[in-house]
Amino acid sequence: MRLNWVAYNYRPWDGYGRYGAHLIQALRRAGVTVSPWLGEQSNAPGWMRKEWGMDWSNLTISCLPALYMYGLPGRQWLLTMTEGSEMPIGWADIINKHNPERVIVPCEANAETFRAGGVRAPVHVIPGGTDPDEFPVMEIKKHGRVPYTFLALGDRGSRKGWSEVWMAFFQAFGTPADTPDVRLIIKVRPESNDVLDLIAKASNPDPRIRIWNEDVLSMWEVYAACDCFCFPSRFEGWGMPPREAAMMGIPVIVQQHSGLDDGYTTEWAQVLPMGKLEAIPTMFENIKGEWWKADIGALAKAMRWCYDDPVLAAIEGAAASTWLRTHQT
C-alpha cells in the first residue's frame, strides 16, 4: 500500500508535527509506503512537483488543523481535532470545500462537534497513541526526590490549566517556610507572555517556582525533570503530554473529559472530580464553545497526596506506564 502524508510542519515541538512524524514511522514499520510532504509544496509548479515525485493517484492523509487544509488532487482524508465544544468559525466551510472522503478525529467529543458543526464527510474516531521508544520508563525513586517536583505546561496559554496548578500549589504547600522541600516547574514557550506576565506581577515571587522558558527538542527531558505531572487541561483533542509522561512512569493528574476521556483514563492517571464548565474566552480565536476549569481544592488535594506518599505515587505511575505500553501505542 502507498499513501501520501501532508502536514503544515514537522517541527518536533509542535503537536501535529511530532504526532504526524511518528505516525509515518509507525505506518512504515507496518509495511505501508508513506511519502511525507508539506502542504505548501502542492502549490509549486507542476514540473517541480514532478521532480519531487509527488503522486496524487495515491490516497493522501492530511494531518493538520482544518484551518490549514489544502485543496489537493485525488483522494484525501483529513486527520484533525479541535480543543473546544464547538467548531471554530469557518472550519466546516473549509472542510466541505475541499471535500475529503472522511474526517478522522481522536475522541468522541470531537466527532460529535464536527458532525454538529456541519461537516458533510463521514467522521470517524481513531484514538491516538504514544511511541514507547520516545518515552522510556524512568527508574522509580525508592525514597522520592528532594525537593519533590511538580510540572505544569503553559505552552498553550491557559487552556492546559497551568494557572490552576499554580494556585493549587500554594493551597497545598503554603509558603517556603511551610514546605521548603517542594518545587513547581511551569514549562512555557518563549512567546508565552501570559504566563510570564502573571508570574512577574506576583508581589512576592516564590523561589520554589521555576519558569522553564524555551523550546526543547525532546519532551522526555521536560517530563524527566518532575516527580508528578499536573495536567488539568480545560479541553483536549487527544492529550499527548499526559500520556507521554505517564508512559515514562510519572504520576499524572488530569480531568476526565474530551480527549482525556478514552474510557480508561483511570488506568493511566489520577482523575480529578470535574470542575466548572465555562465559556471559552474570545481571545482564543480558533477555539469555540465551552471548556472545563479544574477544581483548585481537588487539585491541591491530589498534589498533596503525591507529595506525602511519593513512593506509592511512583508505584501507581509505573502501573500506568505498563498499561499504556500495552494498550495505547
Side-chain angles (χ1 to χ4, degrees):
M1 180 181 178
R2 292 177 173 271
L3 59 81
N4 303 314
W5 192 280
V6 169
Y8 74 122
N9 75 67
Y10 291 103
R11 293 190 294 264
W13 55 85
D14 180 87
Y16 277 99
R18 186 156 57 90
Y19 190 55
H22 281 277
L23 277 171
I24 290 169
Q25 293 174 313
L27 285 164
R28 286 177 169 175
R29 288 193 295 269
V32 181
T33 300
V34 185
S35 298
W37 306 105
L38 289 170
E40 60 189 26
Q41 291 179 274
S42 65
N43 296 323
W47 63 267
M48 193 176 293
R49 298 198 305 269
K50 186 176 181 180
E51 282 192 8
W52 290 337
M54 300 181 86
D55 182 359
W56 301 113
S57 66
N58 299 323
L59 169 67
T60 298
I61 296 180
S62 291
C63 178
L64 35 70
L67 179 67
Y68 302 123
M69 193 176 180
Y70 295 87
L72 304 174
R75 302 168 57 212
Q76 180 176 191
W77 297 359
L78 173 64
L79 173 55
T80 190
M81 65 192 74
T82 187
E83 289 89 12
S85 62
E86 298 176 8
M87 286 279 285
I89 296 173
W91 276 33
D93 293 337
I94 294 170
I95 295 171
N96 292 336
K97 174 185 175 182
H98 295 308
N99 195 30
E101 287 185 352
R102 64 191 71 242
V103 175
I104 299 169
V105 295
C107 70
E108 190 58 43
N110 267 198
E112 294 172 1
T113 295
F114 276 67
R115 291 169 186 144
V119 172
R120 291 195 294 263
V123 181
H124 304 264
V125 177
I126 298 181
T130 306
D131 186 349
D133 293 334
E134 186 182 10
F135 298 100
V137 180
M138 290 182 61
E139 181 181 355
I140 295 179
K141 306 168 190 65
K142 293 182 179 179
H143 303 291
R145 172 170 24 197
V146 179
Y148 193 88
T149 303
F150 294 91
L151 170 70
L153 285 189
D155 286 354
R156 289 292 184 271
S158 60
R159 178 170 64 81
K160 295 187 182 297
W162 75 267
S163 58
E164 288 90 285
V165 179
W166 187 47
M167 290 183 281
F169 179 83
F170 289 111
Q171 185 168 323
F173 304 110
T175 69
D178 298 322
T179 321
D181 59 341
V182 65
R183 298 289 182 272
L184 171 62
I185 296 173
I186 303 176
K187 169 66 181 68
V188 301
R189 290 181 176 180
E191 66 270 22
S192 301
N193 294 325
D194 60 332
V195 179
L196 303 176
D197 289 347
L198 183 56
I199 299 296
K201 291 176 182 176
S203 57
N204 294 301
D206 194 312
R208 299 173 299 175
I209 298 177
R210 171 195 169 195
I211 307 301
W212 187 344
N213 179 22
E214 64 177 342
D215 286 326
V216 297
L217 293 178
S218 171
M219 284 302 294
W220 187 93
E221 174 188 0
V222 176
Y223 304 134
C226 77
D227 297 284
C228 176
F229 182 34
C230 299
F231 193 80
S233 179
R234 301 177 185 181
F235 208 102
E236 289 293 312
W238 172 240
M240 292 169 60
R243 291 173 170 93
E244 292 168 348
M247 187 165 275
M248 293 171 58
I250 296 168
V252 170
I253 301 171
V254 302
Q255 295 189 96
Q256 187 174 359
H257 64 87
S258 58
L260 299 173
D261 182 7
D262 54 22
Y264 303 96
T265 311
T266 54
E267 298 286 351
W268 54 267
Q270 294 185 47
V271 173
L272 296 172
M274 291 303 294
K276 182 180 179 182
L277 192 62
E278 294 186 344
I280 297 174
T282 56
M283 69 180 69
F284 293 87
E285 296 180 1
N286 290 318
I287 310 177
K288 302 297 179 184
E290 297 176 316
W291 58 17
W292 290 93
K293 190 171 182 180
D295 182 298
I296 305 299
L299 178 56
K301 183 177 179 180
M303 293 170 70
R304 185 75 201 198
W305 180 84
C306 290
Y307 166 84
D308 287 337
D309 203 336
V311 176
L312 183 55
I315 290 172
E316 289 193 0
S321 173
T322 299
W323 190 91
L324 283 170
R325 288 170 180 275
T326 303
H327 297 96
Q328 281 190 8
T329 62

